[in-house]
Amino acid sequence: MRSYILTLNCPDRPGIVNAVTGALLEVGGNITESAQFGDADTQTFVLRTVFESDRDESAVGSALEDVEARVDGRIRVRPADRVPRVLIMVSRQDHCLLDLLHRRRTGDLPIDVPLVVSNHMDCADIASRYGVEYVHLPVTTDSKAAAEVELLALVETHRIDFVVLARYMQVLSNEVCRALAGRIINIHHSFLPGFKGPRPYHQAHARGVKLIGATAHYVTVDLDEGPIIEQDVARVSHADSPVELATIGRDVERMVLARAVRKHAEDRVFLIGAKTVVFP
Amino acid sequence: MRSYILTLNCPDRPGIVNAVTGALLEVGGNITESAQFGDADTQTFVLRTVFESDRDESAVGSALEDVEARVDGRIRVRPADRVPRVLIMVSRQDHCLLDLLHRRRTGDLPIDVPLVVSNHMDCADIASRYGVEYVHLPVTTDSKAAAEVELLALVETHRIDFVVLARYMQVLSNEVCRALAGRIINIHHSFLPGFKGPRPYHQAHARGVKLIGATAHYVTVDLDEGPIIEQDVARVSHADSPVELATIGRDVERMVLARAVRKHAEDRVFLIGAKTVVFP
Amino acid sequence: MRSYILTLNCPDRPGIVNAVTGALLEVGGNITESAQFGDADTQTFVLRTVFESDRDESAVGSALEDVEARVDGRIRVRPADRVPRVLIMVSRQDHCLLDLLHRRRTGDLPIDVPLVVSNHMDCADIASRYGVEYVHLPVTTDSKAAAEVELLALVETHRIDFVVLARYMQVLSNEVCRALAGRIINIHHSFLPGFKGPRPYHQAHARGVKLIGATAHYVTVDLDEGPIIEQDVARVSHADSPVELATIGRDVERMVLARAVRKHAEDRVFLIGAKTVVFP
Amino acid sequence: MRSYILTLNCPDRPGIVNAVTGALLEVGGNITESAQFGDADTQTFVLRTVFESDRDESAVGSALEDVEARVDGRIRVRPADRVPRVLIMVSRQDHCLLDLLHRRRTGDLPIDVPLVVSNHMDCADIASRYGVEYVHLPVTTDSKAAAEVELLALVETHRIDFVVLARYMQVLSNEVCRALAGRIINIHHSFLPGFKGPRPYHQAHARGVKLIGATAHYVTVDLDEGPIIEQDVARVSHADSPVELATIGRDVERMVLARAVRKHAEDRVFLIGAKTVVFP
């Protein structure tokens, strides 16, 4: 028996789940997990179903082709054990990178990481410890365009499923944002929509907030405006300097980013307009 | 169109969801919400589906009778707007009672409360403010048996769906626990399984814990051992006396109890052995 | 023995605590609680000390006069059991008002509430239940100026120490904000600085945030920009409508407001520029 | 100017803070942080004061000798930049060790770690990456006594200030517990006092709790009964297996342990009987 993850996105209407479960019965599918949501605003229906079957991938796929046509939507099925290939981008700060790579090693995160890309050399040592190739792509005003071309080429040649900006401090061009739409996750070190842009911990300190946060979101051409996947906060006090906020914040950042990466890697996140559906 | 809540509990096997959704299609059902869980330990499957249909309750029920037989389980369907009738029991402390009655009035809690029963008169005024009948059932060693007979009679005559012990400080007899099995919710003022029994805030103070909690659970004959529905905690410090722990704890108690009552009232809680499945 | 609360705000320099504790020794003071903070940005020092003494208020005050001059600051001492007089303003929503009045009755909140003022009649019943005078001050474009004059007169005649806007939906004029500077607390139903202004739950829903929050802050002439006293958040999901966000948010609002009112009532909050110091 | 941390533990009585601050004035001390607590149950007073002075350590110490006698207590002063030397013990799981060593490297944790001791070789690689000596001390029924002798010798020769059991799975003998009393911190993977002893995540799964936790505490001869320094929890659901509870729990464990180690390393933790005072 093999385990498969099915995801479906289609216009909402009666009969969808019946059609899908009917097709799964045909291939001897036994559902082990299922979650669904109908979005009232857009009349969109999304479904994530995990099932076991003794048929191979193409048999399963064929059985669902009919359904896809009937529900006028898009069905994807993949073996649960074929984990996504992730390219991680970092700058100087290493806490998110170390966290992701260690979770990957212990098996907590179901991803492969063939490549780390950075505009600095600071994190090369960590990548090397975890046996991951490290590509140094320096970014200057002059080199940025070429660096981005190379980045997209790396995504292509390494068959990358999605990109994670693990405290990557460069703004990507609109071209890259569009090329990787829905496949690139950023961690921003504030509780969005508060404190967009640079130096959010300094902004938080100046405003005197009593909680700081972090937000994992898909990258879009509008800086820090992309669909939010996960957020969390930590309590701070008047006594905390911006440096101490950053120290406290690093824990929130890495936890929030790890949760978002896991959700995306397990196909639990669906994009509906500018928002996400995230299944538990 | 009327909205219905369907709940199903049966042995896990392929085809259950297909069978249910097939029956719902027959009555023109449009699913608006659905959650399911297969418990690996017991091979039990539970399902909660909310759907809209223009058929009446008996038509819907008939359509599902066949399915019930096929899945060898138990299906219940009720109109979503037929809210459960709840009997609340209290002693002297009123914060949970006030909280439940106010949430009921504002529409936050989908319940009816025909009756408050207490071994004291302290909360009679609050019940009266919210227009709820208040029955004073004093409990002494001698009167306990008679009081419990009367309690069960009140449950019967008022067609009570479930009972909530909102800081009711008497231990119920095994007979009452059994008679109301799965239909009686208690709030215990500790993070179970820590600090069972009396005066948990004093126990917490003596142990020097850094968080205190509250636990909503179904009542069973084993005191404070029933299946847990909901728990939460609040941070405390060395500076907090047992009285201050109790003050902080009251907020946790009423929040946890309100959440548990809502979950149960919306048919989101399933009992599997000594544990619960609680759908979001 | 009587318990006193001393608060001090002065330029930071060596010897302040020694001077204060020296004066307290002169009046036989026994310190039971003390917290202090030196703000590096502004070189401001704040101190809150609770002490017991068998001297009366004027004797204690005299002993500290000298210190006040030496530290070039402002010292206030009041008996701990002389609780502040609070005027609560509400509009139609009653959950924060009920919460404050009930906490006041159970003794959780050390305040007196001689008066509730509202631009609507909706909450008159709750005020009456708790034996509090209710003043109906309707606000229209034409009547606003007169209503505010009356409000300030009520503050004066009832010797109000501070005002709490417990979901009062009118914007106060700059004159009122200035007249009550540092003595008026608002609860805003978002995690500021996100979602300022009207309908924050609708804004939160549109943005797709994964946590919603509430913020208690001092009112200033800049709407939703005043110094923050307390904040908290609650987890929400894609499935929550704006109405459900508001339901979840009400619990956060009342908890955050109650904590802020308690902190202010116990003289634990100090204003330094646009920020607060809040002692545990 | 050098920064010093002063800690004091003595019977509660008037004049203590005045005496201490008077002595600090003599050495030109400028207080930058101070926290105090009087425990009502035991009439014990504890104080932690951070101050700057241009005098050297012995001058500062001399100035405080008198005070120590007058308050009948115990005063310790150390330069704030002389960080404690910590010996970390681990078994097979590496997440807490990695976390502590990485926080030490980034400067988040003010400790030195001259030595990691383990009954297994699994974590040798991580210690080596961070340049820390790794001592393999296998523990069998026969070798346990000798291993403990060697452990205490290592504590001595490396001038270890305190020991951290970072998921060390062996029970230490009463002799070691007593020899290191107040200087040895353990992380237990449950919310104590719930689920003491082995396999707490399995216990938690069997009981069906809705939150799991971790507890950092001083080790005493009574297993999992030592004074609690820090605790926290994470939400779980019916769908989480014991393995998934352990994955979620690892994050709680390392956060709680890191906070406890920081608090202890900064002299913010005081033992009073079986409980701790932990200053923010």
Side-chain angles (χ1 to χ4, degrees), chain D:
Chain D
M1 297 290 277
R2 195 168 192 190
S3 183
Y4 294 91
I5 300 175
L6 174 158
T7 51
L8 161 63
N9 188 321
C10 67
D12 205 351
R13 65 176 67 162
I16 301 169
V17 174
N18 191 250
V20 170
T21 53
L24 294 185
L25 275 179
E26 284 170 31
V27 294
N30 186 33
I31 297 173
T32 54
E33 196 182 338
S34 189
Q36 63 187 74
F37 178 66
D39 182 54
D41 295 339
T42 60
Q43 290 296 312
T44 303
F45 179 82
V46 292
L47 171 72
R48 177 185 184 270
T49 296
V50 185
F51 63 95
E52 295 171 339
S53 165
D54 57 5
R55 312 296 159 83
D56 67 15
E57 204 176 343
S58 72
V60 165
S62 303
L64 287 159
E65 260 170 35
D66 253 19
V67 178
E68 199 167 29
R70 280 164 60 197
V71 303
D72 189 21
R74 182 165 169 201
I75 295 181
R76 286 186 174 177
V77 185
R78 66 152 169 110
D81 58 6
R82 185 191 299 151
V83 302
R85 296 168 62 81
V86 179
L87 185 158
I88 302 177
M89 301 189 76
V90 283
S91 289
R92 289 208 149 108
Q93 294 208 46
D94 59 11
H95 56 289
C96 286
L97 175 66
L98 176 65
D99 192 70
L100 293 172
L101 292 179
H102 198 70
R103 286 180 199 269
R104 189 236 160 287
R105 171 173 288 176
T106 57
D108 291 2
L109 266 188
I111 55 171
D112 270 349
V113 183
L115 205 62
V116 171
V117 171
S118 179
N119 56 331
H120 292 284
M121 283 305 292
D122 304 59
C123 298
D125 176 50
I126 286 180
S128 141
R129 284 186 218 162
Y130 286 90
V132 178
E133 190 184 335
Y134 191 86
V135 174
H136 182 209
L137 271 188
V139 174
T140 63
T141 313
D142 288 349
S143 71
K144 183 169 176 175
E148 291 199 335
V149 169
E150 189 167 342
L151 172 64
L152 291 179
L154 289 167
V155 166
E156 191 69 25
T157 55
H158 284 78
R159 289 166 293 118
I160 296 301
D161 289 295
F162 66 97
V163 172
V164 175
L165 307 186
R167 297 300 309 274
Y168 181 68
M169 306 307 282
Q170 295 286 325
V171 176
L172 296 171
S173 71
N174 291 357
E175 288 68 39
V176 171
C177 293
R178 286 195 194 105
L180 298 172
R183 300 196 296 141
I184 178 163
I185 295 171
N186 182 48
I187 181 74
H188 182 72
H189 41 313
S190 87
F191 184 78
L192 290 174
F195 309 134
K196 291 176 223 176
R199 294 167 64 90
Y201 292 128
H202 285 79
Q203 293 183 54
H205 184 257
R207 181 65 183 90
V209 290
K210 300 306 182 188
L211 300 168
I212 56 168
T215 304
H217 63 94
Y218 290 113
V219 174
T220 61
V221 296
D222 297 312
L223 190 67
D224 300 333
E225 294 279 7
I228 293 170
I229 305 167
E230 171 67 349
Q231 302 185 286
D232 214 339
V233 295
R235 193 156 284 273
V236 298
S237 90
H238 55 266
D240 294 309
S241 66
V243 168
E244 287 162 321
L245 296 187
T247 298
I248 295 166
R250 280 197 285 273
D251 280 327
V252 187
E253 294 164 26
R254 63 182 186 169
M255 299 280 284
V256 166
L257 182 58
R259 280 187 226 144
V261 167
R262 171 197 299 273
K263 293 285 189 187
H264 184 94
E266 295 179 344
D267 289 334
R268 294 179 192 273
V269 190
F270 294 76
L271 267 168
I272 298 185
K275 300 201 284 184
T276 62
V277 169
V278 182
F279 288 133

Side-chain angles (χ1 to χ4, degrees), chain C residues 248-265:
Chain C
I248 295 166
R250 280 196 286 272
D251 280 327
V252 187
E253 294 164 27
R254 63 181 186 169
M255 298 281 284
V256 165
L257 182 59
R259 280 187 225 143
V261 168
R262 172 197 297 273
K263 292 286 189 187
H264 184 94

Side-chain angles (χ1 to χ4, degrees), chain C residues 137-212:
Chain C
L137 271 189
V139 175
T140 64
T141 314
D142 288 348
S143 70
K144 182 167 177 176
E148 290 199 337
V149 168
E150 189 167 342
L151 172 64
L152 291 178
L154 289 167
V155 167
E156 190 69 23
T157 54
H158 285 78
R159 289 166 295 116
I160 295 302
D161 290 295
F162 66 98
V163 172
V164 174
L165 307 185
R167 297 301 308 272
Y168 181 69
M169 306 308 281
Q170 296 287 323
V171 176
L172 296 171
S173 71
N174 290 358
E175 287 69 38
V176 171
C177 293
R178 286 195 194 105
L180 298 172
R183 299 195 297 141
I184 177 163
I185 295 172
N186 182 47
I187 181 74
H188 182 73
H189 40 313
S190 87
F191 185 78
L192 291 174
F195 309 133
K196 290 177 223 174
R199 292 166 66 88
Y201 292 129
H202 285 80
Q203 294 183 54
H205 184 256
R207 182 63 184 91
V209 290
K210 301 305 183 189
L211 300 169
I212 57 168

Side-chain angles (χ1 to χ4, degrees), chain B residues 247 250, chain C residues 101-111 262:
Chain B
T247 299
R250 280 197 285 273
Chain C
L101 292 180
H102 198 71
R103 287 181 199 269
R104 188 236 162 286
R105 170 172 290 177
T106 57
D108 290 2
L109 266 188
I111 56 172
R262 172 197 297 273

Side-chain angles (χ1 to χ4, degrees), chain B residues 94-95 98-99 102-103 105-108 125-126 129-130 247 250-252 254-255 262, chain C residues 94-95 98-99 102-103 105-108 125-126 129-130 247 250-252 254-255 262:
Chain B
D94 60 11
H95 57 288
L98 175 65
D99 193 70
H102 198 71
R103 288 180 199 270
R105 171 172 291 177
T106 57
D108 291 2
D125 176 51
I126 287 181
R129 284 187 219 163
Y130 286 91
T247 299
R250 280 197 285 273
D251 280 326
V252 186
R254 64 181 185 169
M255 298 280 284
R262 172 197 298 274
Chain C
D94 60 10
H95 56 289
L98 175 64
D99 193 70
H102 198 71
R103 287 181 199 269
R105 170 172 290 177
T106 57
D108 290 2
D125 176 49
I126 287 181
R129 282 187 220 163
Y130 286 91
T247 299
R250 280 196 286 272
D251 280 327
V252 187
R254 63 181 186 169
M255 298 281 284
R262 172 197 297 273

